Amino acid sequence: LPPLSCLSAGQIDVMAETSWACQTTEECAPPTWDHAIGQFVIAGSMWGVFLIFGIGWVLAAPYLNVDFRTTFGRYRSGISSSSFGAAVCITCVNLFQGITFAHRSMVGYADPLLHALEMLGTLITTMDTAAKWCYVCCEGLPQLLLYSFSGAMLVDCMVVTSTIALGVEAGPPGQVKKTWWSFAFLASFRIFRGLSCLAQMDSDKGSGGWKRQIYYSLSTALTGIFAFAGLIMSLEILGPSLGTPDMDMLPGTQHPWDVFDGMAWSLALFTLLGNSARTPTCVLGQIGAILGMCLAFWHLSTRIMPMFFDLLTGRHGYVGRYEWETRLARNPDGHTIVTGSPTAKTLWDFIIEFYHPNHFSGGADFEREARDIVILLDNVKVLKHLERLLTLKETIMFRSRIYLIRGQALNSHDWKRVGAFRAKRAVVLPNMTSSNVEEDDLQNIMRAYAMASVSSTITVTCLLHSSQHQGSMLSGATPNCTFVSIDAIKMNLLGKATMFPGAMTLVCNLCVSVGENKDKYTVRRHWLADYERGLDMELYEVPLSPGYHGYTFMDIFEDIFNRTKGSVYLIGLTDTCDLGSARGHVQGKRDVLINPGPDYVVDVSEGRTAGVFIAGDLDKVIQLTPGEDLEISRVKLPRRLPRFEREQQKVVAEPRVEMASAQHSRLRPKSAVSQSSVQTDVTDFEGNKVTREEKLAQRSLEALTKEIDEKYSAIMHSVKRTFLEKGLDPELVAGATSTEPFKRRFPRTNIVAVKEEDSGSDGEGAEDETKKLLLGKLKDDIMNKFEAKKQELEKLEAIVERVRRDAVGERKPTRALLTSGGHVLVCLVGDTEVSSIPIGSGRLAGANVGLECFMKALRDPRLELNENSQPPVVVLSELQPMDWHKTVNMERVYFFSGSPMRTQDLLKAGIRTAKVIVVVRMHNGKVGNVEKIADARLVLAATVASYLLPPDKIVPIITDHAYAGSCDLLPKERVHIEEGPLSNSSLVGPPAELPRAIVALIKGPKALARSSGLTGKPPPIIDAEQLDTGTFSEKYEDLETHDHKYNPRYLRGQVFHASAIASMVANSMYNPTLIAMVDALIESPMMLIDVPKVWHQSRYQDFVIWLLRERELMALGLYRSAEASQSAHTGDYMDETAPTHHFVYTAPPGGKTLLVKSDKVIVTAVGLKDSQPSRIGSYKMQQSMKQAMTRVYKK
């Protein structure tokens, strides 16, 4: 090679004088151990400088007010880990150093030009090593000492000093020369570090595609071959004898080892082919060969073979690991791991909510606060589908923060791959489309416990299907686990929706972050603006200001409401102590109290007491600064309101007095007023004067009391007779009916009653008396326990008998109930037909559907005074639910065996007279090869029910959906909708299972035609051939993703979709108390009340304050029509007869919203455990309000 041919003679002479490396073959001596030791001493000097500097840094760091960790935190692998370009630069420099060493080994001297370029590369390598050393110094003294004596630091020092070490001279006296050899070949080992950084910072993570895996694996293999070639060549040239000229071989003499020989030998070694032409002869070379062979076996078995196996089996991809070390600067408090068995659509809902812009104040805050999500799943198809969804433009801000890794949550090796030991949160999501929910729940419970066992600092949230898996039952063994039941929340919301329209939509909107979509409708209307403004409202937990300490809840609510101009609602409190909520307080968790009442005195403990707010953004919550005065504005009430309240109180007081007198009539003493003294005023026994009106009222009260007592006694004796005929215990019957116990007409002859007299003596008599008392007490205790067990067994027997009678149809709703109507019809639609369940499977009952949660909303004792608050419930199902026994203690709950998709069964269940129809999915379990559920049976049941209703009657049909797109398949509405929503959809389905060529090769051309369609259209959801054979599988992932939030049924609160629960779990990552707050809001006593006439055309803000102060009701939102919204905004006349539709207006701005006569207000009563039933909305209250308004306006 003529490296100097392009330079002049003068330039060559100048370079020869200034360079300290040998530049000709004559100037270079063969490399010896003396040269190697001298170069190693120079590298050791560099190592000592780094060590002394590092120890001084660590010792002085505590006294310096500088955050070195923030500055050097990104240099974990040196400059290579700072950016993708830096990693490429460092890798190229190391590669150039290795190529320069190979050139010197071939020519036998150091080329001046290459040597000068190598000097520049050495400067870059020095900066890289220094950056890495600064990062190690920030980790502390133990890590510094550990890294100082590691092989990586020694290699870095030898590579950094390899260019300068070429000036080392060695040899016998008179033959001292420099050599061409140096430690520069070790730079190839630094290439491994650069390739690792490139794989970590690759935009596609280096683990999502098989092409990138092949590229990195091939690069690693070639680097290893080159590195071991330089290592073996150096060991063989140096030889076993230190400085023996006979054993030292220079290139060109006696068949020396050159770089080509080393490459050939290393290639044969790493491919396990073998090469007998060249074998190491020295001991060190043979040791290096053994080490290289072990590394070759390890790389082949752990990298190459699994990669090719995954390519052949179709499981290639997502086999990398999450490099938490390089992402530590962006995730200082840890990342989030998502695992379980979810579908791609469930993951998409979770991710969209997790990275929603509402959680961040701006772009800078997003870059600083947004954390990484590591998705650990074993289903490659779901990962591929999600990867395709992440290519949409909506994910451009956060797609680089999502890492897809294939693995199992129960595998400890996969824990290391996802960095579970450094994670802060873990979320276990279920498969919303699974038909076998029991197996899915059990697997997810094990996954949750496995993730919780990784570290005590990780917080695990597990989302389950069945309502039987409650957090109180599962969270005891692992304190850092939280279990959320989809069916429990769903049935609670469905129960609320049957009584109060719009309640379900209001709660779901508060769980989901939704921005305004101005392109959803072509014509913008005021009702749409109101609805979208309500969609933007969310639940927040914000610590209360210490300035509110000692004030009542009413004062705090009004102050915050006025400061924010009616845009922020304080609806409850949270604290670590017991607040007295009806839900009860769990030790170690925060108690949530919704609407504590206006007179509740708030004890604010700084850092502990917080408020539950409904606001559009966290920054909009404005509170009192300590030292300021409350902004409690005494607003001017409507002119006729004071008179209206006085008249209402007079009317309301009358029925209360009558009811109280009737309830306590037996406790009152008989009156001293005689029948003859009714016409005149007399005095009672206490000397008080009794007027004629009081005498008449007392007389009528006594007559009414006597009549009620007689009827009560007759009813109790009838009940007693019935119980005794059924063989129940007489003593229990007497206690239950408040009658005399059963007595025998003729006493038994073998029992003699002995009457003991008290002798009054002590001694033996007193001792016997003590023994008798102790024995009697012991006997009483035993008998009490026996009676308690007996009563419990009798209760269980009664429950079993009741369940049996309901199952066989012996107890059905009466004909009068079905004729009069007003009942709630619950249609439980199974995933599969009962006839498809094989005989002998033992499935005599359905699954747990959460009926207790559903009935809790309908049998709330706090709402028992409200009109139609406890309607009859008729459950229509093919199989009796497994949790039916929990409803036997409830009145007017009936089970009807039949199919909700059969006309005759629906008519027998009284569908035409029902008040509300609820269609709920029930998971009967996996039958045959059906692994996914479908909404087809639910849509069919809703369609049949819709067409059986009378044409002149509008009955709400509330449905429960597994797929959001199936909402559009429901029958057309009977109410007017001014314009239908646009169906924005992401046409990104899952990837094809097999390439078309492979399908044609394996299954033939007909299968290829069926898979693509002869007309070029996409394949059907269900293949006709599979449908004929009975082994079909629904491909619901190919359905378009509709935005169900703009569906007309969802606007009115008649559609439930489980995506709201997934969004709630994602929101809880930012607010850990959100799940408890939503649970408390669901269990609060909600109502839907009319707006009094005196408040028409008034500000909503004034009405909300009056409602809380005077009626102890917390307003949450409005249930209004589109025409009412138009009238409220424009002031136009509202035609109540015009066709319109209703929607939910969540937390409207109080200062800008006007009330109209058709508005209804969604409120919640006081949530304290000792709160009394609210009379607002009851029949008597409505009548009294009408009478009061009549008197006011007549006057």
Side-chain angles (χ1 to χ4, degrees):
L1 295 175
L4 305 179
S5 58
C6 60
L7 301 176
S8 62
Q11 293 174 338
I12 294 176
D13 295 338
V14 172
M15 294 179 64
E17 294 176 359
T18 57
S19 177
W20 58 76
C22 56
Q23 299 180 2
T24 61
T25 307
E26 292 77 12
E27 296 178 1
C28 291
T32 61
W33 281 106
D34 293 335
H35 292 96
I37 293 174
Q39 295 182 15
F40 188 79
V41 170
I42 296 176
S45 302
M46 177 65 72
W47 176 83
V49 171
F50 276 117
L51 181 61
I52 294 173
F53 175 76
I55 294 176
W57 183 344
V58 172
L59 295 179
Y63 304 99
L64 300 177
N65 190 17
V66 180
D67 189 6
F68 293 106
R69 190 181 297 274
T70 303
T71 305
F72 299 101
R74 58 176 181 168
Y75 298 129
R76 187 182 184 279
S77 299
I79 300 178
S80 303
S81 58
S82 61
S83 64
F84 187 82
V88 173
C89 178
I90 298 298
T91 303
C92 293
V93 168
N94 294 327
L95 181 62
F96 176 75
Q97 287 183 283
I99 294 175
T100 304
F101 174 82
H103 178 265
R104 291 200 303 265
S105 67
M106 289 186 293
V107 300
Y109 61 90
D111 186 276
L113 180 59
L114 294 179
H115 184 64
L117 296 176
E118 188 179 4
M119 287 287 293
L120 297 177
T122 303
L123 294 177
I124 298 176
T125 306
T126 304
M127 290 188 292
D128 180 58
T129 304
K132 168 65 177 177
W133 184 250
C134 291
Y135 173 84
V136 174
C137 293
C138 296
E139 295 294 319
L141 186 60
Q143 293 294 331
L144 184 144
L145 297 176
L146 182 64
Y147 181 75
S148 299
F149 294 95
S150 64
M153 184 60 189
L154 297 177
V155 169
D156 289 342
C157 292
M158 287 188 287
V159 172
V160 166
T161 58
S162 61
T163 307
I164 303 176
L166 287 176
V168 175
E169 297 180 348
Q175 299 181 4
V176 177
K177 293 183 180 181
K178 303 174 183 179
T179 185
W180 58 267
W181 183 88
S182 68
F183 289 109
F185 72 93
L186 295 178
S188 56
F189 288 95
R190 288 172 48 86
I191 298 178
F192 291 111
R193 187 187 303 172
L195 291 175
S196 177
C197 293
L198 288 175
Q200 295 168 11
M201 288 179 292
D202 192 352
S203 60
D204 294 312
K205 315 300 179 300
S207 62
W210 60 273
K211 293 182 180 180
R212 285 185 293 275
Q213 294 183 41
I214 293 177
Y215 167 74
Y216 286 114
S217 297
L218 185 61
S219 300
T220 303
L222 293 177
T223 303
I225 291 173
F226 182 79
F228 270 87
L231 178 63
I232 296 300
M233 183 189 69
S234 300
L235 293 177
E236 286 297 314
I237 290 177
L238 292 175
S241 178
L242 298 179
T244 304
D246 297 336
M247 300 298 296
D248 297 333
M249 291 178 289
L250 191 65
T253 59
Q254 300 181 9
H255 306 287
W257 277 72
D258 57 11
V259 67
F260 294 107
D261 294 331
M263 290 286 292
W265 176 86
S266 183
L267 180 62
L269 176 68
F270 274 83
T271 56
L272 303 180
L273 297 177
N275 185 8
S276 59
R278 278 288 190 178
T279 57
T281 57
C282 65
V283 177
L284 294 178
Q286 293 173 354
I287 294 175
I290 296 174
L291 179 62
M293 186 173 295
C294 295
L295 292 176
F297 271 110
W298 176 82
H299 186 75
L300 186 65
S301 59
T302 60
R303 299 292 180 86
I304 304 298
M305 293 301 295
M307 183 184 64
F308 281 102
F309 179 77
D310 290 339
L311 289 175
L312 294 177
T313 58
R315 294 174 59 86
H316 57 277
Y318 317 105
V319 294
R321 62 182 296 267
Y322 173 69
E323 300 292 341
W324 60 269
E325 302 89 349
T326 60
R327 305 291 297 179
L328 188 60
R330 292 184 177 270
N331 301 270
D333 55 348
H335 55 282
T336 300
I337 300 176
V338 179
T339 183
S341 57
T343 60
K345 299 300 177 61
T346 304
L347 290 172
W348 174 259
D349 294 334
F350 179 88
I351 292 172
I352 290 297
E353 182 62 37
F354 188 86
Y355 290 112
H356 198 275
N358 284 9
H359 301 306
F360 312 97
S361 58
D365 185 61
F366 180 85
E367 290 293 329
R368 183 175 59 256
E369 298 295 335
R371 300 295 180 249
D372 293 342
I373 291 181
V374 181
I375 298 177
L376 177 64
L377 297 178
D378 193 32
N379 193 337
V380 180
K381 184 178 178 181
V382 174
L383 294 175
K384 289 181 179 179
H385 191 185
L386 181 60
E387 187 177 20
R388 297 183 67 184
L389 289 173
L390 292 176
T391 59
L392 298 175
K393 62 179 181 179
E394 293 87 348
T395 64
I396 191 172
M397 290 292 295
F398 53 82
R399 67 178 60 162
S400 61
R401 301 176 183 270
I402 301 175
Y403 292 78
L404 308 180
I405 295 178
R406 176 170 59 85
Q408 297 180 358
L410 302 177
N411 193 341
S412 59
H413 174 68
D414 292 334
W415 296 348
K416 299 178 181 178
R417 293 174 56 208
V418 299
F421 299 95
R422 299 287 300 183
K424 181 181 180 181
R425 295 172 293 263
V427 180
V428 183
L429 297 177
N431 184 4
M432 301 293 186
T433 65
S434 175
S435 61
N436 193 356
V437 296
E438 294 182 2
E439 181 180 352
D440 190 54
D441 282 348
L442 292 177
Q443 292 179 359
N444 286 331
I445 290 172
M446 296 305 299
R447 292 187 181 102
Y449 283 147
M451 297 303 301
S453 64
V454 175
S455 174
S456 59
T457 59
I458 190 172
T459 302
V460 182
T461 303
C462 181
L463 194 59
L464 301 175
H465 292 277
S466 180
S467 60
Q468 64 180 343
H469 302 305
Q470 298 294 332
S472 59
M473 180 173 58
L474 295 174
S475 300
T478 309
N480 54 343
C481 275
T482 301
F483 294 91
V484 182
S485 171
I486 297 177
D487 286 349
I489 297 177
K490 176 184 70 176
M491 297 304 288
N492 265 308
L493 290 176
L494 292 176
K496 295 284 186 184
T498 58
M499 297 303 302
F500 315 110
M504 182 166 58
T505 300
L506 184 139
V507 176
C508 291
N509 289 345
L510 293 177
C511 298
V512 182
S513 301
V514 182
E516 294 187 5
N517 190 356
K518 297 183 179 181
D519 298 331
K520 182 60 65 174
Y521 282 75
T522 57
V523 179
R524 301 294 297 176
R525 293 293 301 273
H526 291 291
W527 74 266
L528 184 59
D530 292 344
Y531 176 69
E532 290 182 344
R533 193 178 294 110
L535 281 178
D536 199 40
M537 306 301 286
E538 296 182 50
L539 281 176
Y540 294 99
E541 181 189 24
V542 182
L544 287 178
S545 172
Y548 290 129
H549 178 73
Y551 286 100
T552 62
F553 181 79
M554 180 68 220
D555 294 338
I556 301 174
F557 170 84
E558 189 173 355
D559 178 74
I560 297 176
F561 203 54
N562 292 329
R563 289 177 183 272
T564 58
K565 298 181 180 180
S567 61
V568 175
Y569 293 71
L570 174 66
I571 65 171
L573 302 172
T574 65
D575 206 330
T576 54
C577 62
D578 188 6
L579 295 176
S581 62
R583 300 170 61 249
H585 178 239
V586 180
Q587 189 68 26
K589 295 186 178 181
R590 297 185 66 84
D591 190 14
V592 181
L593 175 60
I594 301 296
N595 187 12
D599 300 329
Y600 186 90
V601 179
V602 180
D603 184 10
V604 178
S605 299
E606 188 173 358
R608 193 188 69 182
T609 307
V612 181
F613 294 89
I614 298 180
D617 195 357
L618 187 62
D619 298 335
K620 295 182 179 179
V621 179
I622 303 175
Q623 301 188 50
L624 171 73
T625 304
E628 293 183 351
D629 295 331
L630 295 177
E631 294 185 7
I632 302 177
S633 59
R634 302 301 179 183
V635 297
K636 185 178 180 181
L637 301 178
R639 181 172 55 88
R640 299 184 179 183
L641 184 60
R643 189 191 301 174
F644 163 75
E645 290 184 346
R646 289 195 303 268
E647 295 294 337
Q648 183 182 357
Q649 290 177 1
K650 292 180 181 179
V651 178
V652 171
E654 297 176 2
R656 288 185 177 178
V657 172
E658 294 179 2
M659 183 179 297
S661 301
Q663 291 177 352
H664 303 285
S665 60
R666 286 180 290 179
L667 301 179
R668 292 178 178 268
K670 293 185 178 181
S671 175
V673 182
S674 61
Q675 296 288 339
S676 60
S677 61
V678 174
Q679 302 297 331
T680 60
D681 296 341
V682 296
T683 57
D684 57 6
F685 289 107
E686 297 179 358
N688 299 324
K689 188 175 181 180
V690 181
T691 62
R692 178 175 177 276
E693 289 79 11
E694 291 177 350
K695 288 188 292 181
L696 291 175
Q698 193 169 10
R699 217 173 114 187
S700 61
L701 181 61
E702 290 175 355
L704 181 62
T705 302
K706 183 178 179 181
E707 181 181 358
I708 291 176
D709 290 340
E710 291 176 355
K711 291 183 178 180
Y712 179 82
S713 300
I715 293 174
M716 288 297 102
H717 281 87
S718 176
V719 173
K720 177 181 178 181
R721 188 183 307 107
T722 304
F723 284 167
L724 291 177
E725 290 176 356
K726 291 185 176 295
L728 296 181
D729 184 70
E731 298 292 337
L732 296 178
V733 173
T737 57
S738 300
T739 57
E740 295 182 359
F742 175 77
K743 296 181 179 179
R744 293 182 176 273
R745 181 174 299 179
F746 303 101
R748 297 180 180 178
T749 56
N750 57 346
I751 297 179
V752 179
V754 180
K755 183 176 181 180
E756 298 180 356
E757 298 181 356
D758 187 8
S759 60
S761 61
D762 52 2
E764 295 182 359
E767 185 177 355
D768 294 340
E769 186 68 22
T770 303
K771 290 181 180 180
K772 291 180 180 180
L773 291 175
L774 293 176
L775 292 176
K777 185 177 181 180
L778 180 61
K779 179 181 178 181
D780 292 341
D781 293 340
I782 295 175
M783 291 302 297
N784 291 335
K785 293 180 180 180
F786 175 76
E787 291 294 335
K789 291 292 183 180
K790 183 180 179 181
Q791 293 180 10
E792 185 177 355
L793 290 176
E794 290 177 352
K795 182 178 179 180
L796 292 177
E797 291 178 358
I799 292 176
V800 172
E801 178 64 19
R802 167 72 179 275
V803 172
R804 186 196 65 80
R805 291 181 58 197
D806 290 337
V808 299
E810 295 181 1
R811 182 181 175 274
K812 293 182 179 181
T814 61
R815 185 183 298 272
L817 186 147
L818 298 179
T819 304
S820 60
H823 61 281
V824 177
L825 179 59
V826 181
C827 301
L828 300 180
V829 181
D831 300 331
T832 54
E833 290 271 0
V834 177
S835 58
S836 62
I837 300 178
I839 300 176
S841 62
R843 294 184 182 175
L844 301 178
N848 286 279
V849 295
L851 282 177
E852 184 182 14
C853 301
F854 180 83
M855 296 303 302
K856 186 187 298 184
L858 299 179
R859 297 294 186 265
D860 194 340
R862 295 168 293 184
L863 302 177
E864 61 184 3
L865 298 181
N866 285 15
E867 181 184 8
N868 298 328
S869 63
Q870 298 187 358
V873 178
V874 178
V875 179
L876 177 63
S877 176
E878 295 177 306
L879 295 177
Q880 191 181 67
M882 191 176 296
D883 54 349
W884 179 255
H885 62 279
K886 297 181 180 180
T887 64
V888 297
N889 294 328
M890 302 179 184
E891 298 179 354
R892 298 182 297 170
V893 181
Y894 307 95
F895 175 77
F896 195 94
S897 180
S899 175
M901 294 171 290
R902 190 173 300 168
T903 305
Q904 297 178 354
D905 294 338
L906 288 172
L907 293 175
K908 291 180 180 179
I911 186 174
R912 292 183 174 176
T913 58
K915 177 184 178 182
V916 182
I917 301 173
V918 184
V919 185
V920 188
R921 294 179 293 112
M922 182 174 66
H923 308 291
N924 292 333
K926 182 180 178 181
V927 178
N929 296 325
V930 179
E931 298 181 354
K932 293 184 179 180
I933 62 175
D935 284 343
R937 293 169 58 83
L938 179 137
V939 172
L940 178 59
T943 304
V944 174
S946 177
Y947 283 100
L948 288 177
L949 294 175
D952 58 342
K953 186 178 181 181
I954 298 177
V955 178
I957 300 178
I958 305 173
T959 53
D960 164 33
H961 295 262
Y963 301 91
S966 62
C967 298
D968 293 340
L969 303 178
L970 294 173
K972 298 298 181 181
E973 296 286 342
R974 296 189 180 184
V975 297
H976 172 74
I977 302 296
E978 63 180 46
E979 184 185 0
L982 302 177
S983 298
N984 286 346
S985 59
S986 58
L987 301 178
V988 181
E993 298 181 359
L994 291 174
R996 293 168 58 88
I998 300 179
V999 172
L1001 181 63
I1002 298 176
K1003 299 184 179 180
K1006 293 184 178 181
L1008 182 61
R1010 287 195 303 269
S1011 63
S1012 60
L1014 297 177
T1015 60
K1017 297 181 180 180
I1021 296 178
I1022 301 177
D1023 194 353
E1025 183 178 349
Q1026 294 181 353
L1027 187 61
D1028 295 337
T1029 58
T1031 59
F1032 63 91
S1033 177
E1034 299 87 349
K1035 299 178 182 178
Y1036 277 87
E1037 293 85 354
D1038 293 329
L1039 284 176
E1040 298 177 353
T1041 306
H1042 293 266
D1043 194 355
H1044 68 281
K1045 297 180 184 63
Y1046 290 88
N1047 189 281
R1049 292 179 179 270
Y1050 182 82
L1051 295 177
R1052 298 193 305 274
Q1054 297 178 9
V1055 168
F1056 176 83
H1057 189 254
S1059 61
I1061 311 300
S1063 300
M1064 180 189 69
V1065 174
N1067 257 327
S1068 66
M1069 301 296 103
Y1070 301 95
N1071 185 5
T1073 321
L1074 178 64
I1075 297 176
M1077 291 191 300
V1078 173
D1079 186 36
L1081 183 61
I1082 293 175
E1083 294 187 3
S1084 63
M1086 283 190 182
M1087 293 178 289
L1088 190 67
I1089 64 174
D1090 297 326
V1091 178
K1093 187 176 181 179
V1094 293
W1095 285 101
H1096 292 171
Q1097 299 301 323
S1098 300
R1099 288 199 313 168
Y1100 182 71
Q1101 181 176 356
D1102 301 336
F1103 179 67
V1104 168
I1105 295 175
W1106 175 83
L1107 204 60
L1108 180 60
R1109 183 192 297 123
E1110 303 297 335
R1111 295 294 180 265
E1112 300 184 350
L1113 297 177
M1114 173 64 66
L1116 302 176
L1118 289 176
Y1119 185 74
R1120 62 169 29 175
S1121 63
E1123 290 295 327
S1125 179
Q1126 185 75 12
S1127 176
H1129 282 277
T1130 62
D1132 297 339
Y1133 171 76
M1134 177 184 172
D1135 186 5
E1136 296 184 4
T1137 62
T1140 183
H1141 64 278
H1142 290 77
F1143 66 97
V1144 177
Y1145 193 0
T1146 306
K1152 300 179 181 179
T1153 305
L1154 293 179
L1155 296 171
V1156 296
K1157 55 184 176 181
S1158 64
D1159 285 340
K1160 296 181 182 298
V1161 187
I1162 303 175
V1163 299
T1164 176
V1166 178
L1168 294 172
K1169 55 186 175 183
D1170 55 349
S1171 60
Q1172 298 296 326
S1174 175
R1175 297 176 59 88
I1176 297 295
S1178 65
Y1179 178 76
K1180 291 185 178 181
M1181 175 59 72
Q1182 291 179 1
Q1183 295 297 323
S1184 62
M1185 290 176 68
K1186 290 181 181 180
Q1187 295 179 16
M1189 285 188 286
T1190 303
R1191 294 180 184 180
V1192 169
Y1193 286 95
K1194 280 184 178 180
K1195 295 181 181 180

